[in-house]
Amino acid sequence: MIYIGHNQAANAFVSFITKNEEAGWKKGEYLSSRYMIMEDKVELVVGLGEEAIERKKVANVCAKAMKEVKALEYTKISVDVSNLISYFGDAILYNIVEGLRLGISDLQHYKSEQKETEYSIYLTGLKETEEVKEMVKKAEVIAESVLLARKLVNAPANMLTPVILAEQLSEMAKECGIEVEVLDEVAMKELNMNALLSVGMSSGNMPRLIVLRYMGDKDSKEITGYIGKGVTMDTGGYCLKPAKSMIGMKGDMAGAATVAATIFALAKNKEKTNVIAVIPACENRISRDSFVPGDIITSMAGKTIEIGNTDAEGRLLLIDAITYAIEKEGVTKVLDIATLTGAVVASFGSVMAGVVSNNDEFYGQLERAAKVTCENYWRLPILDEYKKMLNSKLADISNMSNGGCGTITAGIFIGEFANNLPWIHVDIAGTAWVDSPCYEFQTNYGTGASVTTLYHMQTVK
Ligand code: BES
Ligand code: ZN
Ligand code: ZN
């Protein structure tokens, strides 16, 4: 799909220019392009703006170029990346390849008529060293993983139940040679995973706990636990969501999609690191014996929880999955990622994820990775005043804040179960899904948010 070097058969030639004024474009103008069609070939020049080209614009311009070539129906595309590399250095190839690969992709659909076009992209104007070739290969694997996460998020709830998700991920895990274990509802009951089961047993489609283990660094005892919320459908349960808010809730397993896609990419690229992904997968539905507000349940860690709202289900799954990851898998750091709160969407929209963390060093790792990937994250404060909002008169903690501050309190609730290990909580309720794209490299709906950053957290350590 993406190759290095010239190809005689190429019929579209893309290049990027930084000196917009020379080309007659306005100062600072970016994302504008010119093309010239000659016989059966097209030449496309994309402007990057005159000065201070930002790294975060690179994936966007690359995707924009691919969309134009695609619209003109050329399929063998030669991309001259020399200007981008001389400006940013070789590592920009991660962003270039991401933009090109995602820009050329279509929204995967379920229409009875499928049209598939094969594209070949040839990169020119880069050093043809082994190191650079390796980087391009790795970058393509990461981009494919972003597409996998999108595909899983977009799969409808009737086609992707927890059991089907477990089967599909098991199949993929075997393909990339990583260990997989799936716990059913009986095994989870034996482990007292009652917080998870109180949500999971609300549906006729049984819950699953999916464990993916990639141990790529035998010299290290460190294991990062990536815990991803896998609610394949969130109706809200008895605290039923209104129809408008329920649309898109098939994507409430985006955290699961992210951690699975990330661990597959790490394994395929043989990165030297240890990661165990734990995915609590279930539906949040209404049935005869679904949990209801006022219930008090005992989590795997032994803490009692008063249910204030059945729609705050994600945190219930995540805490039992975290306890499992710490007690049974021996993870030494915990990162949980989830489409957790409407509040994060209200604050940051689809462009920034909210983060809560108890550890500056671990958070620094996320920040450094985000500098490579150009995804946006914002760390929110942990204060005693916020903790108090989760007080319950009857149980150890409530699953619902009595004082608002939804994203922070949800994070703090989860952090109570991290046993003081370095912990990061990422709320991707806004970034995992776009009704219409905010960037050129996105398609409608699932975005594959945070796959690139979670991947690079393991390379920038
Ligand atoms: N899955 C939702 C959060 C969500 C909202 C994801 C919008 C994607 C887009 C979550 O389970 C939820 O319903 N959260 C509630 C919590 C509240 C009842 C404390 C929310 O944020 O409204
Ligand atoms: Zn919910
Ligand atoms: Zn949810």
Side-chain angles (χ1 to χ4, degrees):
M1 176 84 210
I2 295 184
Y3 308 93
I4 292 181
H6 291 271
N7 187 293
Q8 299 297 339
N11 50 19
F13 296 84
V14 178
S15 60
F16 302 93
I17 57 162
T18 51
K19 299 261 181 291
N20 278 9
E21 282 179 349
E22 278 174 22
W25 280 320
K26 280 189 238 105
K27 199 169 178 153
E29 192 176 3
Y30 114 101
L31 269 190
S32 47
S33 56
R34 300 275 157 90
Y35 62 83
M36 229 168 71
I37 297 180
M38 306 147 294
E39 293 171 8
D40 56 345
K41 289 186 170 57
V42 65
E43 205 181 299
L44 178 82
V45 183
V46 187
L48 296 170
E50 182 68 16
E51 56 211 307
I53 310 164
E54 291 172 69
R55 191 186 176 95
K56 67 193 290 180
K57 288 180 178 170
V58 171
N60 220 25
V61 285
C62 289
K64 160 92 174 171
M66 288 307 99
K67 283 190 172 163
E68 296 205 11
V69 170
K70 213 164 112 179
L72 294 164
E73 297 187 354
Y74 291 90
T75 56
K76 292 189 168 53
I77 311 151
S78 175
V79 184
D80 178 352
V81 294
S82 55
N83 271 342
L84 291 172
I85 288 189
S86 60
Y87 200 90
F88 293 101
D90 288 340
I92 198 67
L93 279 164
Y94 282 114
N95 310 74
I96 294 175
V97 171
E98 182 190 350
L100 296 174
R101 181 64 190 95
L102 301 183
I104 209 81
S105 71
D106 284 316
L107 173 66
Q108 219 229 348
H109 58 76
Y110 297 86
K111 293 182 195 283
S112 43
E113 225 168 87
Q114 300 268 351
K115 180 179 159 238
E116 267 201 36
T117 314
E118 280 281 320
Y119 295 94
S120 304
I121 299 172
Y122 307 96
L123 299 183
T124 67
L126 69 178
K127 282 180 247 139
E128 296 193 18
T129 60
E130 281 313 307
E131 204 187 332
V132 165
K133 283 184 190 160
E134 180 81 3
M135 200 183 274
V136 170
K137 237 168 62 197
K138 283 186 172 182
E140 194 178 359
V141 167
I142 300 168
E144 292 295 342
S145 259
V146 173
L147 291 171
L148 165 65
R150 288 183 183 179
K151 193 169 134 188
L152 290 168
V153 167
N154 292 340
N158 64 331
M159 294 189 185
L160 195 75
T161 62
V163 169
I164 299 174
L165 178 65
E167 285 167 359
Q168 291 191 359
L169 296 185
S170 300
E171 194 69 29
M172 293 176 209
K174 279 172 200 145
E175 275 164 29
C176 57
I178 69 174
E179 242 183 71
V180 55
E181 187 176 341
V182 178
L183 275 65
D184 65 10
E185 66 281 8
V186 180
M188 286 191 269
K189 184 77 207 138
E190 273 165 24
L191 291 170
N192 292 320
M193 302 185 91
N194 301 313
L196 194 162
L197 289 171
S198 66
V199 184
M201 299 308 278
S202 72
S203 166
N205 287 317
M206 288 297 109
R208 290 291 180 266
L209 188 80
I210 307 157
V211 185
L212 304 164
R213 304 185 188 98
Y214 172 61
M215 303 297 279
D217 186 0
K218 298 276 174 272
D219 305 327
S220 169
K221 289 198 165 57
E222 290 282 313
I223 307 173
T224 309
Y226 276 173
I227 321 293
K229 173 178 174 183
V231 176
T232 55
M233 180 60 200
D234 182 10
T235 68
Y238 273 96
C239 302
L240 191 65
K241 286 183 184 295
K244 270 196 179 150
S245 314
M246 217 185 284
I247 297 215
M249 281 303 144
K250 63 177 184 178
D252 209 19
M253 32 55 72
T258 299
V259 300
T262 303
I263 204 167
F264 294 151
L266 289 166
K268 284 182 188 159
N269 286 345
K270 299 190 169 56
E271 293 291 359
K272 195 165 192 259
T273 190
N274 300 321
V275 177
I276 296 185
V278 179
I279 297 171
C282 69
E283 291 185 339
N284 188 18
R285 290 217 194 210
I286 296 172
S287 65
R288 195 185 57 187
D289 38 24
S290 296
F291 72 138
V292 287
D295 281 0
I296 296 178
I297 52 178
T298 306
S299 72
M300 182 179 176
K303 273 199 175 67
T304 57
I305 301 161
E306 183 179 2
I307 303 300
N309 193 314
T310 61
D311 199 11
E313 84 296 343
R315 63 199 76 182
L316 298 171
L317 322 174
L318 290 165
I319 56 163
D320 273 354
I322 288 175
T323 304
Y324 173 89
I326 297 172
E327 288 184 7
K328 303 289 171 192
E329 301 290 333
V331 302
T332 54
K333 286 179 194 161
V334 175
L335 182 146
D336 74 83
I337 180 160
T339 45
L340 209 66
T341 63
V344 85
V345 191
S347 307
F348 299 132
S350 288
V351 293
M352 174 108 77
V355 181
V356 181
S357 175
N358 64 359
N359 188 288
D360 293 345
E361 205 182 307
F362 194 25
Y363 180 72
Q365 207 176 313
L366 177 106
E367 265 188 321
R368 287 195 295 283
K371 282 213 172 86
V372 178
T373 65
C374 301
E375 288 191 310
N376 302 315
Y377 295 88
W378 197 263
R379 187 177 179 182
L380 300 160
I382 300 177
L383 298 174
D384 286 342
E385 291 88 324
Y386 294 128
K387 282 189 187 168
K388 279 196 193 129
M389 295 177 186
L390 293 165
N391 283 352
S392 157
K393 289 199 173 53
L394 303 173
D396 294 335
I397 196 166
S398 167
N399 82 328
M400 164 97 185
S401 159
N402 57 31
C405 311
T407 307
I408 298 174
T409 50
I412 290 176
F413 178 94
I414 294 167
E416 291 294 307
F417 295 81
N419 279 9
N420 293 322
L421 288 178
W423 157 77
I424 296 176
H425 160 70
V426 187
D427 192 337
I428 53 169
T431 54
W433 182 273
V434 286
D435 287 325
S436 54
C438 2
Y439 302 108
E440 297 286 340
F441 50 80
Q442 292 176 331
T443 38
N444 298 59
Y445 318 134
T447 60
S450 291
V451 170
T452 55
T453 304
L454 262 55
Y455 179 96
H456 282 291
M457 276 184 78
Q458 301 306 316
T459 66
V460 299
K461 284 190 259 190

